[in-house]
Amino acid sequence: MLHKMTTALTAALLMAAIAGPAQAHFLWLVESDNPKVLNLYFSEGPYADEPAILKRVEDAVAFKVFDDKEPEEIKFTLADEELKSDELKGRGDSLFALTRTLGVMQRGDDKFLLQYNAKTGPTLGKSAWKRDASKLVSLDVVPTLKDGEGVLTVTFAGKPVEGAEVTIDGATDEPVKVETDAQGIAKFAADKAGFYAIRVKYVENKSGEANGDKYDSVRHYTTLTLPVIPKLNESISAFTDLPEAVTSFGAAIVGDDVYVYGGHSGDAHHYYNEAQNGTLQKLPLKKDAKWETVAEGPRLQGLAMVAHGDKLVRIGGFTALNKEEEEGRNLVSQADVAAFDLKTGKWTELPKLPQPRSSFDAVVVGDVIYVIGGWALNGEDEDSTWHNTAYSLDLSKPNAQWTALPEQPFKRRANSVGAANGKIYSIGGMQEKGGPTTKVAVYDPETKTWSEGPQLPGGNMDGFGTSSFALNGKLYVSTMSGRLVRLADDGQSWETVGGLTNERFFHRMLPVGDDQLILLGGASMMIGKFSEVDVVNLK
């Protein structure tokens, strides 16, 4: 009797929760970062609400969907009034799906079985959404991106559903309601960046019995939590491809020319001397212009290069002393700094870095170069020293020497460095302990202090091998997931500008004129290295 009363009470609470549209509760899956876990919400939208009724669904099981193997079961734990999975393992884009029967409900004279489904995955347009989850949900909804428009394909038992009710929240100030056509298709505007909450309803005219309760129909609801990043106005391969596809190189713009130096052309993590570049190359930013070699120098990767007036300053990096055919690696970070005078065509040595350094970045503010991040590779034993030091060099002083900044409160490499609003930003990177991160550190040259900045959006890998540069006083960052973000005017958050066609990391992004960004080189985990030179038009 007690069990029946408790069940009846829970059902009454649920019925009250779904009694009206303003109070409706659905199941939502949300993948969160830092730490990377899967959240299950029982609410009107993908956010925490009535914690008391979470117990009703705490036994729900989600699945991670793969292309080439069986789905992986994911269970949830109810703690601190939240349903969360254990920390998720693995990299790359993931698709998750869940189905859960809520039992028989009654609204007026209508008794129906309530079947909830939920899916979540990567950004709209990513291939992971095409993985087959139809056996894991009763009503399947697959989002795709076509010609800049969001397309939802709704199927039930493998067949298109006509007339399914679709509610899309996120594209406009008010939710948009549409219905699927005869092909099970519903379309929506995907021209604004954001986190879209989508709900699809289909009523199956089927009677039956569940746990002794009879019903006249089955109401299937499927929710999607869908990150949307509109594609940018890009010119793909706007200029002549790099002579060689490289990663971890230096690049800068002077006048109407872009310059690149160094880099790695071999397979990932396969480092040897012949796969390192030691040339300074120039491309006039004109249609059909060709790359030309300007000067030679040491073979380097993991270096930084900045422009100052009519000079290019090459800083640090590492050299692979081993040949391709030799066993083992002998990687040695360098402390050398040199300036190339574009007028005389000659290199001039500048003061060496106080410590050998590679896998870092640098930026120029006025006449001062700031170097932040990185480590020192120490040779054949593959020993490395992670730096917690940062330095500046004032190029306006004739006998300038590197000056130590206050000790940075972190050790990270593979970061990028940019400047905006009089402050220096060290963005993301790989931590000595803890793996990649989207954390941002801010140095204020005026107060000589470090502080924490807003974390980059996206997963931890979005902070690995980024490129950043300021344009018209605004700091832009491009990440390995293809996201272009911009620091908000108050410096407290990042705004998503749009999505890049070629998703890159360990690349370079530089400003061109007042409203364009040029992206060169780098690599993608899916495609490999890029030689393409793309341009983003921000107007």
Side-chain angles (χ1 to χ4, degrees):
M1 182 67 178
L2 179 61
H3 173 72
K4 288 186 177 179
M5 287 181 64
T6 304
T7 303
L9 178 60
T10 304
L13 288 171
L14 284 170
M15 197 62 237
I18 64 170
Q23 297 175 321
H25 282 56
F26 306 93
L27 291 179
W28 303 85
L29 288 174
V30 176
E31 184 182 2
S32 60
D33 300 304
N34 307 313
K36 189 176 182 181
V37 298
L38 192 63
N39 301 272
L40 177 59
Y41 297 118
F42 193 21
S43 181
E44 185 177 0
Y47 45 77
D49 196 3
E50 306 278 345
I53 61 175
L54 285 177
K55 279 189 169 294
R56 183 71 170 89
V57 295
E58 66 176 326
D59 61 344
V61 177
F63 291 89
K64 184 175 181 179
V65 187
F66 299 92
D67 287 317
D68 53 358
K69 61 180 180 179
E70 291 298 307
E72 178 183 299
E73 187 177 274
I74 296 175
K75 294 184 177 181
F76 299 90
T77 301
L78 181 58
D80 300 324
E81 299 186 339
E82 290 185 311
L83 278 173
K84 290 185 177 181
S85 71
D86 292 336
E87 187 166 354
L88 301 171
K89 305 300 181 183
R91 295 176 178 174
D93 296 332
S94 300
L95 177 66
F96 301 94
L98 173 150
T99 190
R100 180 68 158 74
T101 301
L102 264 291
V104 177
M105 307 290 171
Q106 184 167 357
R107 179 174 292 173
D109 295 330
D110 189 9
K111 294 187 71 175
F112 55 90
L113 181 67
L114 192 55
Q115 185 70 42
Y116 279 152
N117 308 279
K119 295 175 71 176
T120 192
T123 305
L124 176 64
K126 294 293 186 72
S127 61
W129 281 107
K130 297 179 181 179
R131 295 171 187 165
D132 185 8
S134 60
K135 295 180 181 179
L136 302 173
V137 291
S138 65
L139 178 68
D140 199 13
V141 182
V142 178
T144 54
L145 183 66
K146 185 176 182 180
D147 299 328
E149 188 175 38
V151 179
L152 301 173
T153 301
V154 180
T155 58
F156 178 76
K159 297 181 180 180
V161 176
E162 182 177 5
E165 299 174 15
V166 181
T167 303
I168 302 157
D169 194 358
T172 59
D173 293 335
E174 295 295 330
V176 174
K177 296 181 181 293
V178 296
E179 289 191 356
T180 54
D181 61 18
Q183 286 74 47
I185 299 294
K187 298 180 180 181
F188 64 97
D191 56 351
K192 292 184 179 179
F195 192 71
Y196 287 39
I198 298 172
R199 186 176 73 249
V200 181
K201 174 186 176 182
Y202 167 66
V203 178
E204 180 189 10
N205 294 317
K206 172 187 174 182
S207 60
E209 184 176 309
N211 297 324
D213 293 327
K214 294 182 179 181
Y215 57 86
D216 304 313
S217 62
V218 183
R219 295 190 181 186
H220 300 268
Y221 289 92
T222 296
T223 62
L224 298 184
T225 50
L226 180 64
V228 173
I229 302 177
K231 287 298 180 184
L232 292 158
N233 178 12
E234 295 177 277
S235 300
I236 306 300
S237 294
F239 297 103
T240 303
D241 287 357
L242 288 166
E244 191 173 37
V246 291
T247 57
S248 304
F249 57 101
I253 285 183
V254 178
D256 296 324
D257 302 317
V258 60
Y259 295 84
V260 300
Y261 185 93
H264 176 240
S265 60
D267 294 337
H269 307 296
H270 188 198
Y271 303 129
Y272 51 93
N273 191 261
E274 298 93 323
Q276 291 185 307
N277 191 290
T279 60
L280 177 66
Q281 297 170 309
K282 177 181 82 170
L283 176 71
L285 294 176
K286 300 175 182 177
K287 188 175 177 59
D288 298 327
K290 303 297 183 183
W291 287 92
E292 58 184 273
T293 297
V294 177
E296 299 289 341
R299 294 177 181 267
L300 293 166
Q301 69 184 82
L303 71 151
M305 187 168 75
V306 296
H308 180 253
D310 54 8
K311 293 183 174 63
L312 298 166
V313 181
R314 185 195 77 226
I315 308 165
F318 81 83
T319 301
L321 301 182
N322 55 288
K323 302 295 185 181
E324 182 177 11
E325 68 276 6
E326 295 176 351
E327 291 187 10
R329 303 190 302 187
N330 187 2
L331 313 180
V332 179
S333 296
Q334 306 297 318
D336 294 339
V337 181
F340 184 79
D341 190 319
L342 296 173
K343 292 181 178 179
T344 65
K346 295 181 179 180
W347 290 104
T348 301
E349 296 298 321
L350 293 178
K352 291 179 180 289
L353 290 167
Q355 305 153 313
R357 188 176 299 247
S358 57
S359 192
F360 68 99
D361 203 13
V363 68
V364 175
V365 179
D367 294 315
V368 181
I369 300 176
Y370 292 88
V371 167
I372 301 173
W375 64 357
L377 298 173
N378 301 320
E380 290 182 296
D381 58 3
E382 298 192 16
D383 183 29
S384 59
T385 303
W386 290 70
H387 293 310
N388 62 349
T389 55
Y391 292 93
S392 65
L393 179 70
D394 189 343
L395 297 173
S396 67
K397 297 179 179 179
N399 298 310
Q401 297 295 321
W402 290 98
T403 301
L405 305 184
E407 184 176 298
Q408 62 192 32
F410 59 89
K411 291 182 180 180
R412 299 178 200 145
R413 67 172 188 86
N415 58 316
S416 67
V417 177
N421 305 319
K423 297 179 180 179
I424 315 300
Y425 292 79
S426 176
I427 298 163
M430 177 69 73
Q431 304 171 105
E432 183 180 22
K433 297 179 181 179
T437 182
T438 54
K439 292 180 180 179
V440 174
V442 184
Y443 178 70
D444 188 333
E446 185 173 339
T447 62
K448 294 181 171 54
T449 57
W450 290 95
S451 62
E452 288 190 10
Q455 286 192 222
L456 288 175
N460 286 339
M461 286 296 291
D462 275 302
F464 188 45
T466 63
S467 186
S468 57
F469 220 102
L471 177 63
N472 288 331
K474 295 183 181 293
L475 182 60
Y476 291 84
V477 181
S478 61
T479 74
M480 71 169 295
S481 67
R483 191 191 303 249
L484 180 67
V485 299
R486 176 176 56 219
L487 186 65
D489 290 340
D490 62 4
Q492 300 303 305
S493 63
W494 295 95
E495 305 163 344
T496 297
V497 181
L500 299 160
T501 299
N502 289 326
E503 302 170 358
R504 312 173 188 233
F505 66 157
F506 293 99
H507 59 295
R508 290 294 178 180
M509 178 180 71
L510 302 165
V512 178
D514 294 328
D515 53 21
Q516 292 183 323
L517 294 166
I518 188 171
L519 293 105
L520 309 96
S524 157
M525 286 187 173
M526 298 295 293
I527 297 173
K529 288 182 167 60
F530 289 104
S531 59
E532 291 88 344
V533 179
D534 301 338
V535 171
V536 175
N537 303 290
L538 295 173
K539 270 192 175 180

